[in-house]
Amino acid sequence: MDLPALRVRPAELHDAHGIADVHIGSWRETYSGVIPDTFMDDDALIARRRMWESILGLDPLPGAIAVAERGDQVVGFAFAGPADHPDAIKGFAPARSLHLYSIYLLAQEHEMGIGSALLDAVVEDRPAQLWVLTGNDRARAFYERHGFRADGVEFIDPALDGIVEVRMVR
């Protein structure tokens, strides 16, 4: 069976629930048993829907937000913006002025070039920074293919039971 065509485009307010569904769904696929379940339960989904409605309702948007959709379903998204937010800094001086806050894709869509298309849509070829969990080898390899390298800065995240996040830059 042929899959519906994939399209990557700028996110719009009506995408908020689809983005939240991918956000939580991809966390469940990737981080189940790694991060606390409270980050992936139904309450977390409701909170993410509200968060994305709020972000996408801003004018102007706080950065570049893109979605990948197959047919009428959001299957991935990416968000990049200024690196001056606490989620980007995590107590350290920014290494770059642009931060990749999130890029998530449902597992069924892996290995199709969609992650690269999303990254290109929000970061392009500009210098940027991001945080990635240690142990997420798939994500690290993806970022390394796109020119990112760990810069030696690590953050022990108390909200994630002390999981270590590594900053990558290009």
Side-chain angles (χ1 to χ4, degrees), residues 46-60:
I46 292 166
R48 288 288 171 188
R49 286 179 174 171
R50 279 191 221 118
M51 181 192 89
W52 283 108
E53 286 171 347
S54 175
I55 290 170
L56 291 169
L58 296 172
D59 186 19

Side-chain angles (χ1 to χ4, degrees), residues 4-129:
L6 181 91
R7 180 169 77 136
V8 174
R9 61 169 175 77
E12 300 173 359
L13 182 57
H14 68 85
D15 296 314
H17 285 207
I19 290 172
D21 292 349
V22 168
H23 203 158
I24 297 298
S26 65
W27 278 20
R28 288 173 179 163
E29 293 171 339
T30 304
Y31 300 124
S32 187
V34 177
I35 65 173
D37 289 344
T38 56
F39 285 88
M40 302 174 284
D41 63 15
D42 290 340
D43 289 338
L45 176 60
I46 292 166
R48 288 288 171 188
R49 286 179 174 171
R50 279 191 221 118
M51 181 192 89
W52 283 108
E53 286 171 347
S54 175
I55 290 170
L56 291 169
L58 296 172
D59 186 19
L61 291 175
I65 306 169
V67 295
E69 63 182 2
R70 190 173 296 288
D72 61 355
Q73 180 188 3
V74 174
V75 297
F77 74 95
F79 171 34
D84 59 358
H85 188 276
D87 287 345
I89 296 169
K90 297 186 186 275
F92 300 96
R96 303 288 187 265
S97 61
L98 181 64
H99 185 81
L100 179 64
Y101 286 93
S102 47
I103 183 168
Y104 292 106
L105 186 62
L106 296 176
Q108 70 198 29
E109 302 292 338
H110 287 178
E111 305 300 328
M112 295 186 197
I114 302 167
S116 296
L118 285 166
L119 182 64
D120 289 345
V122 299
V123 174
E124 300 166 334
D125 62 353
R126 296 176 290 174
Q129 68 175 42

